[in-house]
Amino acid sequence: WHLAKIDMDFRSGKTDIMQIQMLLSGFVIGLQTDSKLEFAKKNYEPHEKKKIGMSSLSAGFWDQSKEIDAAELDAKFHFDIPMLLKEEKVLRAFSAGRDMYLYTNRRMIIVDCKGLSGQ
């Protein structure tokens, strides 16, 4: 790894937490053979606020554990919510209520929804 300079503004509202997560993931689970990490401004606005629905609320009350489509979540966590490295693939995924458990070829990710709105 060669990291010459990190230029980031850490003032409130100026920091892209998802890109910091991507940088740290590259350091911790990245391999030397992985492609170069690219950072650019992203639009996360569609994911900021989600409406509360009855299915969201009822899932928290009844334990509905099941396996979910790993390919769909692989695409989601590569493009919509860019958490995975380019070489990382979701192998299996499970849903328990509103929470999700993703098993990739490099790590396990727990998506823990908090509160009534699931944020």
Side-chain angles (χ1 to χ4, degrees):
W1 284 83
H2 181 279
L3 188 62
K5 179 181 176 184
I6 297 176
D7 185 21
M8 193 169 290
D9 188 354
F10 286 101
R11 290 180 289 178
S12 179
K14 301 286 184 180
T15 305
D16 189 342
I17 299 298
M18 295 302 292
Q19 293 205 12
I20 292 173
Q21 183 277 138
M22 183 69 68
L23 176 70
L24 294 174
S25 292
F27 281 128
V28 174
I29 63 170
L31 302 174
Q32 294 215 356
T33 56
D34 289 350
S35 60
K36 179 180 171 184
L37 293 174
E38 296 180 16
F39 298 100
K41 290 200 177 252
K42 309 263 190 225
N43 180 15
Y44 302 111
E45 193 171 307
H47 305 288
E48 292 295 320
K49 294 283 182 186
K50 293 184 180 178
K51 293 182 180 178
I52 302 173
M54 285 309 292
S55 63
S56 167
L57 291 173
S58 65
F61 295 116
W62 293 281
D63 185 21
Q64 300 172 350
S65 297
K66 61 183 176 183
E67 187 165 3
I68 50 181
D69 185 21
E72 180 182 322
L73 289 174
D74 186 64
K76 180 178 181 175
F77 281 91
H78 270 107
F79 303 111
D80 293 345
I81 307 169
M83 280 186 76
L84 302 178
L85 299 174
K86 286 183 183 178
E87 293 79 9
E88 195 172 8
K89 302 284 182 231
V90 175
L91 303 175
R92 296 190 77 178
F94 299 92
S95 170
R98 295 180 298 160
D99 301 337
M100 288 188 291
Y101 302 90
L102 309 176
Y103 294 92
T104 74
N105 57 339
R106 298 194 183 178
R107 59 183 160 168
M108 178 179 131
I109 299 172
I110 300 172
V111 180
D112 184 15
C113 295
K114 300 285 185 188
L116 286 176
S117 64
Q119 296 181 11

